[in-house]
Amino acid sequence: MSVHPRGIDVPPSGSFGDILRIVEKLDTPAGYKAELVRGKIVVSPGPKLRYMKVMKSLRRQLEPHAPEGHGVDVAPFLFAFPGSERAYGPDLHVADESAFDAEGRHADGTALSLAAELTSDSTKDVDWLDKMETYGRVVPVYLLLDMRVGEVNVLWDPSPKGYRSRTNVPFGRPVRIPAPFDFELDTSGFAVEEAENPEDEQR
Protein backbone atom coordinates (compact mmCIF):
# COMPACT_ATOMS: atom_id res chain seq x y z
CA MET A 1 0.00 0.00 0.00
CA SER A 2 1.29 3.46 -0.84
CA VAL A 3 1.03 6.09 1.87
CA HIS A 4 1.68 9.69 0.92
CA PRO A 5 1.51 12.88 2.97
CA ARG A 6 -2.01 14.23 3.12
CA GLY A 7 -3.08 17.73 3.97
CA ILE A 8 -5.90 18.54 6.36
CA ASP A 9 -7.57 21.87 5.69
CA VAL A 10 -7.80 24.20 8.67
CA PRO A 11 -10.22 27.06 9.27
CA PRO A 12 -8.93 30.15 7.41
CA SER A 13 -9.75 32.35 10.38
CA GLY A 14 -7.56 30.35 12.77
CA SER A 15 -4.39 31.97 14.07
CA PHE A 16 -1.03 30.23 13.81
CA GLY A 17 -1.20 29.47 17.53
CA ASP A 18 -4.66 27.94 17.19
CA ILE A 19 -3.63 25.74 14.27
CA LEU A 20 -0.44 24.70 16.05
CA ARG A 21 -2.48 23.53 19.01
CA ILE A 22 -4.58 21.40 16.66
CA VAL A 23 -1.41 19.82 15.27
CA GLU A 24 -0.16 19.07 18.78
CA LYS A 25 -3.42 17.41 19.81
CA LEU A 26 -3.75 15.16 16.75
CA ASP A 27 -3.73 11.47 17.59
CA THR A 28 -1.55 10.30 14.72
CA PRO A 29 -1.06 6.57 14.09
CA ALA A 30 2.16 4.99 15.31
CA GLY A 31 4.98 5.73 12.89
CA TYR A 32 3.39 8.91 11.54
CA LYS A 33 3.91 12.57 12.32
CA ALA A 34 1.83 15.72 11.89
CA GLU A 35 3.39 18.94 10.65
CA LEU A 36 2.09 22.36 9.65
CA VAL A 37 3.00 23.02 6.01
CA ARG A 38 1.68 25.85 3.80
CA GLY A 39 -1.31 26.46 6.04
CA LYS A 40 -2.30 22.79 6.12
CA ILE A 41 -1.80 20.08 8.69
CA VAL A 42 0.16 17.35 6.88
CA VAL A 43 0.26 13.81 8.25
CA SER A 44 3.06 11.73 6.77
CA PRO A 45 4.90 8.49 7.54
CA GLY A 46 8.11 8.66 9.52
CA PRO A 47 11.41 7.27 8.21
CA LYS A 48 11.48 3.70 6.95
CA LEU A 49 12.90 1.02 9.21
CA ARG A 50 15.81 0.51 6.84
CA TYR A 51 16.80 4.16 7.29
CA MET A 52 17.49 3.63 10.99
CA LYS A 53 21.13 2.67 10.45
CA VAL A 54 21.69 5.90 8.53
CA MET A 55 20.05 7.95 11.28
CA LYS A 56 22.11 6.20 13.95
CA SER A 57 25.28 6.92 12.00
CA LEU A 58 24.32 10.56 11.61
CA ARG A 59 23.60 10.88 15.31
CA ARG A 60 26.81 9.15 16.33
CA GLN A 61 28.92 11.39 14.09
CA LEU A 62 27.17 14.66 14.96
CA GLU A 63 27.16 14.28 18.74
CA PRO A 64 30.91 14.94 19.33
CA HIS A 65 30.74 18.09 17.19
CA ALA A 66 27.46 19.60 18.36
CA PRO A 67 27.61 23.11 19.84
CA GLU A 68 27.89 23.24 23.61
CA GLY A 69 24.51 22.69 25.24
CA HIS A 70 22.97 21.21 22.10
CA GLY A 71 21.63 17.68 21.90
CA VAL A 72 21.15 15.34 18.94
CA ASP A 73 17.93 13.36 18.71
CA VAL A 74 15.73 11.51 16.25
CA ALA A 75 12.52 11.78 18.24
CA PRO A 76 9.69 13.54 16.35
CA PHE A 77 9.72 16.76 18.35
CA LEU A 78 7.84 19.62 16.73
CA PHE A 79 9.70 22.88 16.03
CA ALA A 80 7.64 25.98 15.30
CA PHE A 81 8.54 28.83 12.96
CA PRO A 82 5.94 31.53 13.70
CA GLY A 83 7.38 33.97 11.16
CA SER A 84 6.70 31.45 8.39
CA GLU A 85 3.64 29.92 10.07
CA ARG A 86 5.20 26.49 9.81
CA ALA A 87 5.90 23.67 12.29
CA TYR A 88 8.10 20.69 11.43
CA GLY A 89 9.31 17.51 13.06
CA PRO A 90 12.74 16.87 11.47
CA ASP A 91 13.83 13.26 11.03
CA LEU A 92 16.91 14.19 13.05
CA HIS A 93 17.72 17.45 14.80
CA VAL A 94 20.44 19.17 16.78
CA ALA A 95 19.00 21.79 19.11
CA ASP A 96 19.69 23.86 22.20
CA GLU A 97 18.56 21.68 25.08
CA SER A 98 17.26 24.70 27.00
CA ALA A 99 14.45 24.93 24.41
CA PHE A 100 12.94 21.80 25.96
CA ASP A 101 12.58 23.42 29.37
CA ALA A 102 9.51 25.31 28.15
CA GLU A 103 5.92 24.21 28.68
CA GLY A 104 3.92 22.87 25.78
CA ARG A 105 4.53 20.35 23.04
CA HIS A 106 6.66 22.28 20.58
CA ALA A 107 10.05 23.98 20.66
CA ASP A 108 11.18 27.22 19.05
CA GLY A 109 12.66 26.63 15.60
CA THR A 110 15.45 29.09 16.35
CA ALA A 111 16.82 26.56 18.85
CA LEU A 112 17.92 24.33 15.96
CA SER A 113 21.56 24.31 14.94
CA LEU A 114 20.92 21.54 12.40
CA ALA A 115 17.93 19.82 10.84
CA ALA A 116 18.19 16.63 8.79
CA GLU A 117 15.56 15.09 6.54
CA LEU A 118 15.81 11.69 4.83
CA THR A 119 13.69 12.26 1.77
CA SER A 120 12.23 10.02 -0.91
CA ASP A 121 9.46 10.25 -3.48
CA SER A 122 6.60 10.69 -1.04
CA THR A 123 8.09 13.67 0.84
CA LYS A 124 10.57 15.28 -1.53
CA ASP A 125 8.39 18.25 -2.47
CA VAL A 126 8.01 19.37 1.14
CA ASP A 127 11.64 18.62 2.05
CA TRP A 128 13.14 20.27 -1.05
CA LEU A 129 10.86 23.28 -1.23
CA ASP A 130 8.89 24.23 1.86
CA LYS A 131 11.35 23.05 4.49
CA MET A 132 14.40 24.27 2.58
CA GLU A 133 12.87 27.74 2.38
CA THR A 134 11.86 27.87 6.04
CA TYR A 135 15.00 26.29 7.49
CA GLY A 136 17.04 28.51 5.16
CA ARG A 137 16.04 31.62 7.07
CA VAL A 138 17.06 30.52 10.58
CA VAL A 139 18.67 27.05 10.84
CA PRO A 140 22.49 27.15 10.49
CA VAL A 141 22.78 23.78 8.72
CA TYR A 142 20.28 21.68 6.78
CA LEU A 143 21.16 18.13 5.73
CA LEU A 144 18.95 16.70 3.03
CA LEU A 145 19.65 13.04 2.35
CA ASP A 146 18.04 12.00 -0.92
CA MET A 147 17.59 8.30 -0.35
CA ARG A 148 16.31 7.58 -3.86
CA VAL A 149 19.17 9.35 -5.67
CA GLY A 150 21.78 8.38 -3.07
CA GLU A 151 23.31 11.74 -2.23
CA VAL A 152 23.62 14.11 0.69
CA ASN A 153 22.97 17.81 0.25
CA VAL A 154 24.46 20.22 2.77
CA LEU A 155 23.01 23.73 2.96
CA TRP A 156 24.27 26.45 5.29
CA ASP A 157 24.61 30.19 5.87
CA PRO A 158 20.92 31.09 6.31
CA SER A 159 19.57 34.49 5.26
CA PRO A 160 16.16 36.15 4.84
CA LYS A 161 16.22 34.84 1.25
CA GLY A 162 17.35 31.32 2.15
CA TYR A 163 20.62 29.42 2.28
CA ARG A 164 23.55 31.13 0.60
CA SER A 165 25.82 28.07 0.40
CA ARG A 166 25.24 24.51 -0.74
CA THR A 167 27.16 21.39 -1.69
CA ASN A 168 26.23 17.80 -2.45
CA VAL A 169 28.08 14.51 -2.76
CA PRO A 170 27.00 10.96 -3.61
CA PHE A 171 26.75 8.49 -0.75
CA GLY A 172 30.14 6.93 -0.13
CA ARG A 173 32.13 10.16 -0.26
CA PRO A 174 32.93 12.32 2.79
CA VAL A 175 31.35 15.75 3.00
CA ARG A 176 32.25 18.74 5.14
CA ILE A 177 29.64 19.80 7.68
CA PRO A 178 30.24 23.54 8.23
CA ALA A 179 30.18 25.65 11.39
CA PRO A 180 29.12 25.31 14.08
CA PHE A 181 30.07 21.64 13.54
CA ASP A 182 33.21 21.71 11.34
CA PHE A 183 33.92 18.07 10.61
CA GLU A 184 33.97 15.54 7.78
CA LEU A 185 30.83 13.39 7.66
CA ASP A 186 31.45 9.78 6.62
CA THR A 187 28.62 8.71 4.29
CA SER A 188 30.03 5.31 3.37
CA GLY A 189 27.18 3.42 5.06
CA PHE A 190 24.32 5.60 3.86
CA ALA A 191 23.31 3.70 0.72
CA VAL A 192 20.00 1.90 1.22
CA GLU A 193 18.28 -0.29 -1.33
CA GLU A 194 15.03 1.39 -2.36
CA ALA A 195 11.88 -0.30 -3.61
CA GLU A 196 11.75 -0.19 -7.40
CA ASN A 197 7.96 -0.10 -7.48
CA PRO A 198 6.69 3.37 -6.48
CA GLU A 199 3.66 1.70 -4.94
CA ASP A 200 6.00 0.19 -2.35
CA GLU A 201 7.31 3.60 -1.37
CA GLN A 202 6.54 4.33 2.27
CA ARG A 203 9.10 7.13 2.78
Side-chain angles (χ1 to χ4, degrees):
M1 181 181 70
S2 178
V3 180
H4 295 280
R6 57 186 180 89
I8 301 171
D9 288 318
V10 296
S13 58
S15 69
F16 174 70
D18 292 338
I19 299 171
L20 186 57
R21 280 187 284 276
I22 294 173
V23 175
E24 294 173 340
K25 291 178 181 178
L26 279 179
D27 184 17
T28 55
Y32 287 73
K33 63 182 177 181
E35 300 177 296
L36 183 54
V37 181
R38 303 188 193 109
K40 288 188 175 183
I41 298 170
V42 175
V43 178
S44 60
K48 299 175 185 177
L49 289 176
R50 60 180 178 268
Y51 291 177
M52 186 54 64
K53 288 183 179 180
V54 178
M55 295 172 72
K56 283 185 176 181
S57 177
L58 264 181
R59 182 175 185 173
R60 176 181 54 79
Q61 294 186 66
L62 285 166
E63 282 179 333
H65 304 282
E68 185 175 355
H70 286 226
V72 184
D73 211 332
V74 296
F77 291 109
L78 199 63
F79 291 87
F81 301 84
S84 301
E85 297 194 345
R86 305 288 201 270
Y88 304 133
D91 290 333
L92 179 145
H93 66 263
V94 184
D96 189 331
E97 293 181 333
S98 66
F100 298 97
D101 294 334
E103 294 292 330
R105 300 182 63 183
H106 70 270
D108 190 332
T110 61
L112 289 164
S113 53
L114 180 146
E117 303 286 359
L118 282 68
T119 193
S120 55
D121 289 351
S122 64
T123 58
K124 64 181 181 181
D125 287 346
V126 171
D127 293 338
W128 276 106
L129 300 174
D130 203 75
K131 291 186 178 182
M132 184 181 293
E133 180 181 340
T134 302
Y135 290 151
R137 296 191 184 109
V138 294
V139 181
V141 181
Y142 179 29
L143 297 185
L144 185 54
L145 280 68
D146 192 319
M147 305 306 291
R148 174 71 70 178
V149 174
E151 70 176 17
V152 56
N153 297 267
V154 184
L155 300 100
W156 70 98
D157 195 10
S159 78
K161 294 184 178 181
Y163 287 112
R164 288 176 285 216
S165 299
R166 173 179 172 178
T167 190
N168 65 289
V169 302
F171 290 166
R173 290 179 52 189
V175 64
R176 187 75 183 172
I177 307 300
F181 298 87
D182 286 324
F183 78 102
E184 293 284 322
L185 179 71
D186 177 7
T187 72
S188 60
F190 285 10
V192 175
E193 183 177 349
E194 289 289 333
E196 293 185 8
N197 184 348
E199 290 300 310
D200 295 333
E201 181 62 43
Q202 298 287 319
R203 180 172 164 82

